Each structure stands twice: as structure tokens, then as C-alpha cells.
Amino acid sequence: MKVSGGKAVVEVMMKEGVKKAFCVPGESYLGVMDAIFEQPEIELISARHEGGASFMAEGYAKSSGEVGVCMATRGVGATNLAIGIHTASQDSTPLVALIGQVERPFKEKEAFQEVNLTGFFSHICKWTVEIDRVERIPELLHRAFHIARSGRPGPVLVALPHDMLEDEAEMIRYPSYRSLPPQPHMEDVKKIVETVQKAERPVLIAGGGVIRAQATPLLVQFAEAVQIPVVTAFRRYDAFPNLHPCYAGWLGFGTPKFLLDAIRDADVVVALGTRFSQVGTQDYTLLSESTKLIHVDISPDIFGKVYAPSLAIEADAKAFLQQALQATSSQPVVSSNKRVKQLHDEYIEFSEVKADYSENYVDMDGLMYDIVSLLPKDTIITNDAGNFFGWLSRYYRFEHENTYIGPTSGAMGYGLPAAIGAKLAQTHKTVVSFSGDGGFMMTLQEIETAVRYRIPIISIVVNNNIYGTIRTHQEMHFPNRVIGTDLSNPNFAELARLFGAHGEKVEKNIDFVPALQRAIASGLPAVIEVVTNPEILSVGQDKKKIKERMVYNK
């Protein structure tokens, strides 16, 4: 029986287990949308901006462990979608973007909204393909899903010409297929275990590969067996339970000096499922020349890209840890508990939050104290980029797997839509997003999406009427020359209520806990705006000096 291109696309989505697809509707792929209408197993989430839709799909993929799907129309919709595709690329998130395209006879004539989609997205996707014959949809679309989730996961873009989706043909059906992850050789694993156990100052850095492989429990066992301090890579906080005695802290913005010194002083570093990002390595200065690097990753393309390893093993993190635990069963522990304990104690001291409250503004230290005290430990946290995040990264201790979803790409506008995607994947969990006023304004229209689909996420908006991160750099490099970083904002709480959400505005710390409790109890999407001191831009600033300066300036 002949089927249309639109129906063939949705048949593949069904076989691939797609349950949610995120989009802004577009004329050029109406055939796909119409076919979804007949399939109640797939819920179509219609967003208010393609950037929001792509962030929702990316957050959903991280939270569910499945391939995220987003859709947009040609040129104008696709380019709006690019921010989420770039985020998926840098975060190694499996994503398939289905993009309507110009009719085949009109190509290369500067047709309406025409963009060479495969060329435009080629360097930020694992694969780009345009399907120009309807009978090839099953073959190429199944391949797209396979590439997105295999090896080091990432985004794949599939361009679908408008007229092709309306063609009909008899289809050869293909199954969904998966490849087994690469397995390490036991002899190599034994060498690693022996090297670690003979080392005097070993450190293990756990990255997104640990999270993707669901290998945290095995990593805990391995760390305990060989007594190695574990550090989580940039924005991979939940790769290892932060209160475990072997946890030493995290890499990224604001990493404490004691931890950087410990890594630079390490004689052996085991990098497990991490690509050594610019931020995590402090501009590629993290490892010393004398450090022996053992790099384990599912993608051999990672090896030597930043640091040359002494030993590189192409392997899935879970497979490696399974064999490593076998290798440790007959090996004596050589590493000292004293160093592991010292690093963990220093992390605990560094991350201990104080109940500092303010009457004039919301003190961020006190805010974090209340958040840590009140939120369930399995709460999923999402976030935007911004200086406000320094308080979250320092003081929030992630104790459970799959509880953090943030962009290593540093994308603004990510927090709210990613929270929507995460909540749709984990409906039983509390989901809280953190944004600054700058980032929140970029995708706040997705409050309406959350209201329309009854998705009860909580958005905490830290408002200081400044692009805080850029202001900090501005003050550092060009003091007393402020330009372009001052903002004005609406009352976010009122705006939320106009959308039909729950809205609260908090101007002093004592009012935050009741506001959060009301937001949770409302059962609605909620926005809590917290007004903070624009003079305090970064965690750890001397608040006493700032207060004295403010009094003097008056």
C-alpha cells in the first residue's frame, strides 16, 4: 500500500519510540503534523518560538535518556532552532531535528525562506541529510535516529522538502536498530587499575558519558574500591553523588583553588566520559605536563583533542567500570584514605551555605539556604547562563542521578523550556528552573506553553536588572565604562498571572519560603521573581564592603 511522505516519517517516529515532539507549526511540514494527528501515542508540543522548542526537546532527551525530536519550518524556523541544536552538539545530547524544506523544483533559486539546510548545520550536527525521494524515508530516518544516539550522542538534522512529503510510494519497512557500545580489553583495564592503585595522587574526572551510560552506581563502587577522589566535569554535577566521601567537587566557573591545585598536582588523572571543555579546564590549563592521563571515552575522536593521553581506551563508561570492578576484586587498595577525606572535607566546607537574610533585597546566600532545605532531593534543576548560577553551582549538592539539566554551551533562555521538556519526561518529579532576568526574557513566552499543556514547572527568576555576567567582565576589563548591560523589566509575577500561571514577587528573604510553598501547592506553572542587589554580582563577594560603599554613595 502506498503511503505519503508525511505518514512515512511518523511511522519511523513510532518505531523509534518517539512519545513527544516539540515544534512551532510550519507550512512546509504540515504533512508530518497531519500524520501525527492520527497517532495519539505521539504528543505534539507546540511552542511559541523555535528556540524554545529546541531547548524543550534537548531537555526532554537529557531527562528521558531517549532521542529528543524537534521540528520547524524551512529557513526562518530552522535558523531559530539552531541554538538548541548547538546546545545538543556541545552537550552530546541525542536529538533529531526534522525541518521542512523548499519544494524540490524551486531549490537554488533563492526561493521563499530558502536555506541550504544540510550545509548550514553541517558543522554543529553529527550528520545532516536531505531526503529527496519519498521511498528513502524509512532508510534514512532510521539511520538519523541511530547516528543521534550511538557513539558520542549528538544532533542530526533531516531536511524534508515540502513536495516530497506529499508524494506517495510503497515503502520498504526498516526496524529500529542499535549498535552495541565499544567494549574495552580486559588487559587494558587491568593496566589502568594497577596504575591508579600505584599512584600517590590520583584523580578521576567524571563527565557526561557516565550520566548517559547510567553508570553512576558503578562509579561509586569503583571509587570506593580504589579510594580515588572523584571530580565532576563542567555542568555534570549529578554524575557522582556530591555527599559521597569520595566526591571532591566540580569543574567550571568558580572552581575552588584547592581542587584545581589537587588536579594540577595529580600524578594520574583518569578522564571518564568527558571531552575536556574550555570552561572545565580553565582555558585548557588544568593538567600539568607531568600528569599521566588515562582517557576513557566512547568516541575516539576525543582523544588528543585537548590533552594527549598516556593510555586511551575507546569504551562505554558502563562497560569500562564493569570490567574495572572485576579487576579491583583481587587487587589491594594502595591509595590513602587521608587525601580523599581531605578533599571531600574541603568541598563540604566550600559548599556550606549560610542563612544570610536581607530586608532590602533577597540575599542569594539565604535564598540558596532555603532552597537546599526545602526542595525534595530528587528535584530536577535546570538553569540559564548567568552570574546567578554561581550560587547554585557552589551551594546546591546533587545527591541523586538525573537531577541536573544545564547547558554546557552556556545558552541563555535555556532554563524555562528545558524544565518543560524535563517535566514531560519525569512527570512525578519536582522540576525547578533558575534564570536571570536577561535569560528569562529570551524565552518567557514559553510560560504560555506550560500553561496550555498544564506542565507545572517552577521558574525562579533572579532579577537585578542587569546582564550580570557581562557587567562583571565589563567592570573587570573596562571599569567605570558601563554600556549596554543595564536592563529594565516588567513585573514577572504579574506577567506570569496574565499568562494563567502562578506568580510571586519576593523582595526580601523572609518571604521566599512561603512563596515557594504556594507555588508548589498551586499545581500550576509558576514564576517566582526574586529581587536581588545589583551591586552583588558574584558569589563570594564581600557583602560588608558593598554595604559600606552603598551607604557612602548615599
Side-chain angles (χ1 to χ4, degrees), residues 85-122:
I85 293 174
H86 177 258
T87 298
S89 177
Q90 291 223 324
D91 284 34
S92 305
T93 304
L95 191 76
V96 169
L98 303 174
I99 312 295
Q101 177 59 302
V102 171
E103 295 88 338
R104 289 166 292 181
F106 304 157
K107 286 189 63 181
E108 299 180 5
K109 296 181 179 181
E110 201 175 334
F112 180 60
Q113 299 180 342
E114 182 176 4
V115 167
N116 180 341
L117 293 171
T118 56
F120 186 94
F121 287 95
S122 61

Side-chain angles (χ1 to χ4, degrees), residues 31-316:
V32 176
M33 293 176 61
D34 183 68
I36 290 176
F37 180 83
E38 298 178 356
Q39 299 295 344
E41 294 91 344
I42 299 177
E43 183 180 14
L44 185 68
I45 306 296
S46 177
R48 301 308 298 265
H49 188 276
E50 290 89 355
S54 64
F55 284 149
M56 290 176 199
E58 206 269 352
Y60 177 86
K62 282 175 177 167
S63 190
S64 68
E66 300 299 326
V67 178
V69 174
C70 55
M71 302 188 293
T73 198
R74 47 198 176 189
V76 291
T79 49
N80 276 342
L81 206 71
I83 187 170
I85 293 174
H86 177 258
T87 298
S89 177
Q90 291 223 324
D91 284 34
S92 305
T93 304
L95 191 76
V96 169
L98 303 174
I99 312 295
Q101 177 59 302
V102 171
E103 295 88 338
R104 289 166 292 181
F106 304 157
K107 286 189 63 181
E108 299 180 5
K109 296 181 179 181
E110 201 175 334
F112 180 60
Q113 299 180 342
E114 182 176 4
V115 167
N116 180 341
L117 293 171
T118 56
F120 186 94
F121 287 95
S122 61
H123 73 291
I124 58 170
C125 287
K126 287 186 71 178
W127 186 47
T128 60
V129 61
E130 184 163 315
I131 305 179
D132 58 4
R133 291 169 52 195
V134 66
E135 61 269 22
R136 295 199 69 188
I137 287 174
E139 167 205 350
L140 294 174
L141 194 50
H142 277 301
R143 185 181 177 198
F145 276 89
H146 172 68
I147 291 173
R149 65 174 163 250
S150 62
R152 178 187 172 188
V156 171
L157 181 134
V158 182
L160 304 166
H162 187 168
D163 58 323
M164 185 277 297
L165 291 172
E166 296 174 355
D167 285 353
E168 293 186 346
E170 291 184 5
M171 301 292 172
I172 297 175
R173 264 67 178 188
Y174 288 74
S176 173
Y177 53 94
R178 297 171 185 258
S179 56
L180 293 175
Q183 303 290 308
H185 295 292
M186 190 59 177
E187 290 305 310
D188 291 334
V189 176
K190 287 180 178 178
K191 285 181 185 177
I192 290 176
V193 172
E194 183 179 341
T195 300
V196 169
Q197 292 186 320
K198 288 181 177 179
E200 295 181 3
R201 301 175 306 280
V203 171
L204 188 148
I205 300 173
V210 174
I211 297 170
R212 181 67 189 168
Q214 299 179 337
T216 297
L218 293 174
L219 179 55
V220 169
Q221 293 179 48
F222 178 72
E224 291 173 347
V226 299
Q227 282 298 294
I228 189 170
V230 176
V231 180
T232 48
F234 178 48
R235 291 190 172 167
R236 304 300 193 188
Y237 304 100
D238 57 344
F240 198 83
N242 296 179
L243 289 180
H244 189 280
C246 289
Y247 187 65
W250 41 264
L251 295 174
F253 297 114
T255 299
K257 185 177 182 298
F258 80 83
L259 184 55
L260 295 176
D261 288 345
I263 297 172
R264 288 171 179 145
D265 188 49
D267 51 355
V268 172
V269 169
V270 180
L272 182 57
T274 184
R275 64 180 175 87
F276 286 120
S277 70
Q278 178 187 355
V279 176
T281 59
Q282 310 293 305
D283 290 342
Y284 308 114
T285 64
L286 185 64
L287 301 190
S288 67
E289 293 181 2
S290 61
T291 301
K292 177 180 286 188
L293 172 63
I294 298 168
H295 204 163
V296 181
D297 200 274
I298 199 168
S299 172
D301 295 338
I302 295 299
F303 302 140
K305 204 170 188 178
V306 176
Y307 296 112
S310 300
L311 177 61
I313 294 185
E314 180 187 354
D316 171 74

Side-chain angles (χ1 to χ4, degrees), residues 320-494:
F320 167 77
L321 288 167
Q322 286 170 336
Q323 292 197 19
L325 284 169
Q326 293 179 32
T328 60
S329 60
S330 59
Q331 296 285 342
V333 173
V334 177
S335 301
S336 170
N337 287 330
K338 184 178 179 180
R339 178 169 168 271
V340 174
K341 183 178 184 305
Q342 179 183 345
L343 288 172
H344 181 66
D345 288 347
E346 287 184 280
Y347 162 73
I348 291 296
E349 182 181 353
F350 177 74
S351 62
E352 193 68 38
V353 64
K354 297 177 181 178
D356 288 352
Y357 295 144
S358 174
E359 287 291 322
N360 299 318
Y361 292 99
V362 175
D363 186 298
M364 285 294 290
D365 289 350
L367 177 76
M368 287 308 306
Y369 181 88
D370 291 335
I371 285 169
V372 168
S373 302
L374 195 61
L375 287 182
K377 297 303 180 185
D378 65 348
T379 297
I380 295 176
I381 302 292
T382 72
N383 66 274
D384 271 290
N387 262 28
F388 70 90
F389 184 72
W391 280 270
L392 185 70
S393 62
R394 177 167 178 172
Y395 295 126
Y396 195 93
R397 297 166 180 166
F398 292 86
E399 299 179 38
H400 297 279
E401 299 172 78
N402 202 17
T403 53
Y404 175 72
I405 294 173
T408 67
S409 66
M412 295 178 73
Y414 181 87
L416 168 60
I420 291 172
K423 183 67 175 179
L424 286 169
Q426 303 280 346
T427 56
H428 60 290
K429 289 186 178 181
T430 301
V431 179
V432 177
S433 76
F434 286 83
S435 302
D437 51 304
F440 189 69
M441 281 286 281
M442 293 186 178
T443 51
L444 65 77
Q445 66 271 22
E446 304 306 344
I447 299 171
E448 189 279 331
T449 305
V451 170
R452 183 162 26 101
Y453 289 98
R454 298 185 177 90
I455 306 168
I457 48 91
I458 297 170
S459 296
I460 296 175
V461 183
V462 180
N463 183 11
N464 59 8
N465 291 297
I466 290 174
Y467 280 128
T469 300
I470 309 306
R471 174 65 68 82
T472 301
H473 288 292
Q474 199 170 55
E475 295 283 5
M476 187 183 305
H477 299 292
F478 303 98
N480 302 314
R481 295 175 65 84
V482 172
I483 181 171
T485 49
D486 283 324
L487 300 173
S488 62
N489 290 301
N491 183 312
F492 290 116
E494 282 189 22

